[in-house]
Amino acid sequence: MPLIILDDPDSTLSMLRESVAGMAARTDPAAVMRRRRSAGADLDAEVWKKMAQAGWLGLSLPEDLGGAGLGLAELAVLSESLGRALVTEPFAMLSVFPGALLAALEPSDTVRDLAEGIASGARIVPVLWQDARGRCQPLQLSPEGVLGGEAHLVSGGTSATAFLVLAQQGDTRVLLRVRAGGEGVRVHQRPGIDAATLSNVAFQGVAVAAGDILAQGPAVEGAFDHAIRMTRLALAAELAGLGARALELTVDYTRERVQFGKSIASFQAIQHRLVDMWADSEFACAAVANAVEAGKNGPGPALSLAVLAAKARAGEAATSITRRAVHLHGAMGFTDQSNIGLYLKRAIALNATLGQPEEMRLAFLDVENAA
């Protein structure tokens, strides 16, 4: 079945896959997803703790920031494995995104403290920078250092210990650390389609100390470009894993399901659908592998193009595969008791995160024309 194929000379990638599979066998991620949905929680603290203990949350952080200092190949395989296992804790948005953002900044005691906390699982640090449609929208920081405004589509808003906030101060972009739960900070949570609840976070008259300004000017834009690129790669890999696993489950089901005295997998019409799903999954895995390969030459237009292509391809493939998987499971595929529907919901949510396929293609053209 489809898999992201990468060089693995020291078996690190194989060990990562086995690590995720082992944790999934012990925790039953589908059951965790249902529990979170019932409780209205934005993450499962026990699962998040296990992910931290396994070293996953600090996988791509530099060693001097408390991480493992591993590369794009390890990030892609870990994310793919989380997708296959249906681990729905917001790894990309609460580990990869803030971790990559901090790693791109000049090191300071505050940066180091936040990064080490993310890696250990002790700190939940969402990034606040989007409006309700997912576009970049900095909050406002007055010349006196008072923060106001509202951010949308925030993962982990109610569990947050601090926020990384993109703000505008006059003509300058600034990145701030704002502690959660303080006066003037309001969090409103709403359910997401896949049980990964999202929040709106509003600030009114929140004073920001000079020591909480982590970066200003061009350094902020460069850090965000890097963080978004890394996170899109992680999302693409997770989507590729979701699609591949949904295909496997569907193949198994069609072999077991009998009609007219035959397995429905023997019907030509079913075989055609499965082949189409297999092709979509293979292309998604190949697109992610291509992005990892492009990253070996460092940041640049080639990597940006490859990541955008991977996110578009994997997102479209995962949603298409999981929709067809639900259809091929018949009436039971539409029930909440069937895990295949959870794969579809997760694919829809991740596909929309940091840009739908059409947005990725338009961004691809912009980067290509600018190169």
Side-chain angles (χ1 to χ4, degrees), residues 12-286:
T12 300
L13 305 185
S14 296
M15 287 188 287
L16 274 173
R17 287 192 168 104
E18 292 170 3
S19 177
V20 176
M23 193 198 80
R26 294 189 298 272
T27 60
D28 189 357
V32 171
M33 182 177 180
R34 291 186 176 97
R35 285 200 304 270
R36 280 177 51 207
R37 182 183 59 195
S38 297
D42 52 14
L43 59 80
D44 185 291
E46 192 60 34
V47 172
W48 197 253
K49 180 180 178 181
K50 286 181 168 61
M51 293 171 71
Q53 291 171 342
W56 302 344
L57 303 186
L59 186 86
S60 299
L61 277 168
E63 292 182 21
D64 60 355
L65 292 181
L70 298 178
L72 296 184
E74 290 81 9
L75 175 61
V77 166
L78 174 59
S79 299
E80 176 199 28
S81 301
L82 293 173
R84 291 178 65 88
L86 199 63
V87 175
T88 56
E89 308 312 308
F91 170 74
M93 299 308 293
L94 291 184
S95 172
V96 181
F97 198 171
L101 196 56
L102 293 168
L105 302 179
E106 287 294 323
S108 67
D109 290 343
T110 303
V111 167
R112 191 170 292 105
D113 176 68
L114 288 170
E116 290 175 351
I118 289 170
S120 70
R123 305 213 190 289
I124 307 296
V125 191
V127 183
L128 277 55
W129 67 290
Q130 291 178 298
D131 66 11
R133 298 182 63 184
R135 299 169 300 191
C136 180
Q137 178 182 276
L139 281 72
Q140 294 301 314
L141 184 68
S142 73
E144 296 76 27
V146 178
L147 179 67
E150 185 172 10
H152 297 258
L153 305 176
V154 179
S155 297
T158 57
S159 296
T161 57
F163 300 104
L164 290 175
V165 182
L166 176 65
Q168 191 81 23
Q169 188 176 43
D171 295 329
T172 304
R173 290 275 174 95
V174 293
L175 181 64
L176 314 172
R177 188 269 305 271
V178 180
R179 291 176 176 83
E183 186 176 351
V185 180
R186 178 174 55 84
V187 179
H188 174 68
Q189 184 173 280
R190 61 182 177 83
I193 190 172
D194 64 338
T197 56
L198 298 172
S199 299
N200 300 341
V201 182
F203 300 91
Q204 185 173 9
V206 176
V208 177
D212 287 327
I213 298 177
L214 305 182
Q216 303 180 61
V220 174
E221 294 182 13
F224 263 86
D225 287 344
H226 169 69
I228 290 170
R229 185 168 55 243
M230 290 281 286
T231 309
R232 281 176 173 158
L233 176 60
L235 290 166
E238 189 171 350
L239 284 159
L242 275 167
R245 182 57 183 154
L247 171 60
E248 291 176 7
L249 292 171
T250 307
V251 169
D252 291 342
Y253 176 77
T254 57
R255 285 172 175 164
E256 296 168 1
R257 174 71 169 166
V258 174
Q259 285 190 347
F260 309 110
K262 293 182 179 180
S263 163
I264 65 172
S266 66
F267 300 158
Q268 191 174 58
I270 300 295
Q271 292 173 356
H272 287 171
R273 290 193 186 187
L274 291 173
V275 168
D276 288 342
M277 293 163 68
W278 171 82
D280 286 345
S281 185
E282 285 284 5
F283 281 127
C285 290

